[in-house]
Amino acid sequence: MSTTSRRTVLGMAGATAAAVAVAGTGVLGGTGAFQRKAEAADALEGVNEPTFTELTPFRDPLRVPPTLRAKGHRITEIDLVESPVRLHSQMPRTRMWTYDGHFPGPTVEVRSGDQVRVAWNNRLRGTTPVKAVWVQPEGPGPGLLPYNRPGAPGGVPRPEVDRLTAWTTVHVHGGHQNALNDGAAEYGVAPGSSQLAEYANDQAATHLFYHDHAMAVTSLNVTAGLIGNWIVRDAEEDRLDLPRGKYEIPLTIQDANFDTDAQGRLTGQILAKRIVGGGAMPMPGSIPPSLASLAPFTMVNGVVWPHMDVEARAYRLRLVNVSGARIYRLVVVDEETGKPVRGAMKLIGTDMGLLGKVQTIDEALSLSPAERADVVIDFAAHPGKKLTLVNTVEGQTPGAALPDFMVPHPEVMQFRVEKQRHASFRMPTTLSASFRRIGLADVPRTATERFVVLGFDKTGAMPQIWEMQEVPAGTAPGTGVVTVDMPGGTRTLRRTGTMFEDTTTFFAASGTWEKWHFISAAPAGVPIYHPMHIHLMNFQVVDRRTVDASGMDFAAARTVRPLTVGGPVPVAPEESGWKDTITVNANTLVTVAGRLADQTGKVMYHCHLLDHEDEGMMRPFVIMPPAVHDIHHMIMEMNGGSGMRGMKGMKM
């Protein structure tokens, strides 16, 4: 690797989206001119001491992170540094961990096939900027849940979090990179060290993102600010002449909570609340079963409820949900009428790239954590209007506060459209000519089939991943044995692992097709969901069905009668393209299929609710070159390991 390090930075964040300008070449490192200018440009004007108990929506302009165009085998250096960031002008600046002083980090832009090397330099000092507490659940009835209130009154401090220093590892989510470069959870680096990684980018144009992935502390590190966007470009996308430059904006959506002082005024310090399962408050330093964190405020590009001044013309918006747990169901509302603007959002791409044709979002666009949506909104149809992007719940009035449904503040951001109208944008008839929607019948019969049950521990309180191995029908019932009545017949499965540290049992051949069944089995009335992410695999949803899980005995970790798979559940437009993350709702079966990347090594699949991931819902699997995989299989057979998964030619 060359000792000479240069980077080209094109685009500097100004106070508003329209203020993006070319900044030229910056000097590498946390003290370079690039970072000093960027920090100044990122700062919103506002108070220096706690003053406000509430925040005013749409007071502050949207901030756009700078673009970092990485090329070839040059070493692009990105420093992880602490930085004071203004998240709302009515709060003091917030101490945050950032990439190159920005929250979100610089948007890395690469060309497809351009192999890029990045040195992620951990220059963070001190302990985490996040304050974490346990809170008790509240009884049924109207009112805000405790994590939807700012401040920590009644919360139990978490001293184990207060002591955390910056142990970090960077994962380019959805990217194709060998395991050594994938930001493996156990490969964290401490302050003063660097993570050196190479990214193949051997994929179609798409919107990826990068974030911290450190074992046990991913949620806290991401909450502290360690997120950023990664855009891959290619010739097919170039030919479409989509909105670009200042008319193409990444929108990084994340919920947040803040601490308060003795007078209830917002201090700006990030607050992470967890509700204790079962109601008993934990002893200091212990981690009980708990609910994943939600938070009341919504940030877009690191600003709480921002506004964006837009011309009356088309914009391309690259949305990503980087929240720890919150699902966003997004609707565009006309402020003057209070009614949804149906069809305002034109969906052109999903997690892993462009669709074949444009899909109109008639009602709402749903994004679970880690999911992306590539959307065009043509503001030419709305000159002089104010349009609001809101979060809502199905069956409720968009824009209304819904405390009973855990949406106390529906505001996400506001678009202020200028009066001078430009020509309407003509959407391309075809987006990606190579895109093809696949179904079950299109999956090769040689694809390796895998089963994962999303269950609970014996208490029924802690969600778990159950990695399963198919065993012969008639296998004696016992701990970890699950039978499932599926459309093709009854399948008998035996649990082989639940924690990351358990024996690895999934082995795969690079470049081959796989079909994964995620089966959610939840106690009645538990509205749990799991956004499941598979590293190094582009997939499509080929089937989704309901599941009757009443036959599951969680205390005994087995079924007393088969789980029954029911009727099909529709696949939403935003789930209809190539993806790397899919939401598995309570008591559903989701089957995905796709081809593994050509890269190899031990990688992971996991729930992308970050607290679930940290607390054990993550498992490793190993990808090998096909010839190596065949030899490994023969060795396992020779040593009596016929139960090991990942064998070629498993029947569907």
Side-chain angles (χ1 to χ4, degrees):
M1 200 175 276
S2 170
T3 57
T4 303
S5 300
R6 300 291 295 173
R7 66 180 173 189
T8 303
V9 180
L10 298 177
M12 185 64 66
T16 68
V20 178
V22 175
T25 301
V27 180
L28 286 172
T31 58
F34 162 68
Q35 188 191 358
R36 289 201 300 272
K37 291 179 182 177
E39 286 176 345
D42 277 352
L44 299 175
E45 297 297 325
V47 300
N48 294 321
E49 299 293 336
T51 303
F52 295 88
T53 59
E54 297 181 355
L55 301 179
T56 303
F58 317 137
R59 177 185 175 100
D60 301 316
L62 179 75
R63 184 165 49 222
V64 178
T67 297
L68 174 61
R69 292 190 173 95
K71 295 183 178 180
H73 279 75
R74 302 178 193 174
I75 304 171
T76 297
E77 296 203 16
I78 296 178
D79 289 353
L80 284 66
V81 294
E82 185 172 306
S83 184
V85 180
R86 181 85 67 185
L87 304 180
H88 193 283
S89 58
Q90 292 173 321
M91 289 193 303
R93 290 184 181 179
T94 296
R95 177 179 161 238
M96 301 198 75
W97 287 351
T98 70
Y99 295 109
D100 264 344
H102 298 275
F103 174 60
T107 298
V108 179
E109 185 175 309
V110 299
R111 297 293 301 181
S112 178
D114 204 357
Q115 202 169 58
V116 168
R117 294 172 177 172
V118 178
W120 306 94
N121 304 315
N122 186 344
R123 303 190 189 282
L124 294 162
R125 296 290 184 268
T127 55
T128 178
V130 176
K131 178 178 178 178
V133 297
W134 298 112
V135 292
Q136 289 183 310
E138 296 180 353
L144 296 178
L145 292 166
Y147 43 49
N148 274 332
R149 294 192 188 93
V156 172
R158 298 184 60 185
E160 77 281 4
V161 173
D162 296 339
R163 295 192 298 268
L164 281 178
T165 54
W167 192 59
T168 68
T169 177
V170 184
H171 169 57
V172 176
H173 181 113
H176 292 179
Q177 51 265 344
N178 289 306
L180 287 175
N181 306 294
D182 195 42
E186 70 271 41
Y187 289 171
V189 299
S193 297
S194 297
Q195 173 189 343
L196 306 179
E198 185 172 73
Y199 303 99
N201 300 305
D202 60 345
Q203 51 204 120
T206 189
H207 175 198
L208 312 177
F209 69 108
Y210 59 92
H211 64 86
D212 183 81
H213 212 310
M215 179 73 74
V217 293
T218 294
S219 178
L220 292 163
N221 286 353
V222 170
T223 300
L226 294 178
I227 53 171
N229 293 283
W230 186 289
I231 304 291
V232 181
R233 307 281 191 193
D234 70 6
E236 182 178 54
E237 179 195 55
D238 293 343
R239 288 192 291 269
L240 296 176
D241 198 25
L242 295 166
R244 63 186 65 182
K246 66 179 182 179
Y247 305 112
E248 181 185 14
I249 307 293
L251 297 181
T252 306
I253 303 173
Q254 183 179 25
D255 63 347
N257 205 345
F258 305 107
D259 200 13
T260 56
D261 64 12
Q263 287 73 46
R265 300 173 300 189
L266 294 158
T267 67
Q269 182 178 22
I270 295 173
L271 177 67
K273 290 183 177 182
R274 297 292 302 279
I275 292 184
V276 177
M281 295 299 277
M283 297 295 292
S286 65
I287 297 181
S290 58
L291 302 181
S293 301
L294 299 178
F297 304 103
T298 294
M299 299 186 294
V300 183
N301 290 358
V303 180
V304 177
W305 304 324
H307 71 261
M308 178 180 172
D309 294 320
V310 296
E311 297 176 25
R313 58 175 295 160
Y315 282 71
R316 184 181 186 184
L317 306 176
R318 313 296 291 264
L319 284 71
V320 55
N321 181 356
V322 298
S323 300
R326 185 178 290 281
I327 291 178
Y328 280 90
R329 189 172 185 271
L330 301 170
V331 177
V332 177
V333 173
D334 185 327
E335 284 194 11
E336 184 178 357
T337 65
K339 295 181 178 180
V341 184
R342 298 192 181 278
M345 291 187 280
K346 306 295 184 183
L347 182 72
I348 63 172
T350 54
D351 296 355
M352 296 305 294
L354 294 167
L355 296 169
K357 296 183 182 300
V358 176
Q359 295 211 34
T360 298
I361 303 299
D362 291 323
E363 294 186 6
L365 176 77
S366 291
L367 290 178
S368 292
E371 290 187 310
R372 282 92 71 205
D374 194 348
V375 171
V376 171
I377 298 180
D378 193 349
F379 295 105
H382 311 283
K385 288 186 174 291
K386 292 182 179 178
L387 304 180
T388 305
L389 191 64
V390 301
N391 185 26
T392 188
V393 172
E394 189 172 3
Q396 303 299 312
T397 303
L402 302 168
D404 296 334
F405 297 94
M406 301 180 291
V407 186
H409 301 290
E411 300 89 352
V412 175
M413 67 176 295
Q414 180 192 64
F415 300 103
R416 300 176 180 177
V417 189
E418 69 170 10
K419 293 182 179 180
Q420 182 180 351
R421 189 181 186 279
H422 295 258
S424 296
F425 179 68
R426 293 188 62 182
M427 295 294 298
T429 303
T430 300
L431 295 167
S432 172
S434 60
F435 176 82
R436 183 168 67 99
R437 182 79 177 98
I438 64 172
L440 281 170
D442 301 306
V443 182
R445 292 188 60 80
T446 55
T448 299
E449 190 171 28
R450 305 188 191 276
F451 293 86
V452 178
V453 171
L454 306 175
F456 285 80
D457 69 354
K458 62 183 179 180
T459 69
M462 181 70 80
Q464 290 184 327
I465 279 181
W466 293 6
E467 186 165 292
M468 311 301 289
Q469 165 200 336
E470 188 168 10
V471 293
T475 298
T479 300
V481 176
V482 174
T483 56
V484 188
D485 284 342
M486 298 181 67
T490 300
R491 315 296 283 268
T492 304
L493 314 171
R494 176 184 288 130
R495 188 174 66 182
T496 57
T498 60
M499 295 290 292
F500 186 83
E501 295 78 10
D502 291 339
T503 301
T504 303
T505 65
F506 280 1
F507 295 87
S510 62
T512 62
W513 275 79
E514 301 238 339
K515 185 171 77 167
W516 292 49
H517 304 286
F518 293 107
I519 305 168
S520 170
V526 177
I528 197 165
Y529 54 91
H530 300 289
M532 297 305 299
H533 171 47
I534 307 173
H535 289 212
L536 295 187
M537 181 174 165
N538 298 10
F539 58 74
Q540 289 190 36
V541 182
V542 295
D543 197 22
R544 175 183 272 140
R545 295 177 179 270
T546 60
V547 170
D548 178 355
S550 59
M552 179 69 77
D553 182 345
F554 291 106
R558 66 185 182 91
T559 49
V560 294
R561 61 180 181 278
L563 306 181
T564 304
V565 175
V569 177
V571 175
E574 57 269 31
E575 299 174 318
S576 64
W578 289 107
K579 294 181 62 59
D580 57 51
T581 305
I582 188 62
T583 302
V584 184
N585 290 317
N587 296 321
T588 60
L589 161 71
V590 177
T591 300
V592 301
R595 180 183 173 277
L596 291 170
D598 294 328
Q599 287 71 29
T600 58
K602 180 184 280 189
V603 292
M604 298 169 285
Y605 70 93
H606 57 86
C607 176
H608 222 284
L609 298 188
L610 299 182
D611 291 323
H612 287 185
E613 173 187 334
D614 285 341
E615 293 171 1
M617 290 196 74
M618 177 167 62
R619 286 285 294 152
F621 72 104
V622 177
I623 304 174
M624 310 174 185
V628 177
H629 176 265
D630 290 346
I631 293 173
H632 176 264
H633 171 52
M634 289 187 283
I635 291 171
M636 295 307 298
E637 286 284 312
M638 179 181 66
N639 286 283
S642 59
M644 303 302 280
R645 296 281 296 151
M647 304 164 196
K648 290 182 69 177
M650 290 287 293
K651 290 186 178 181
M652 303 288 278

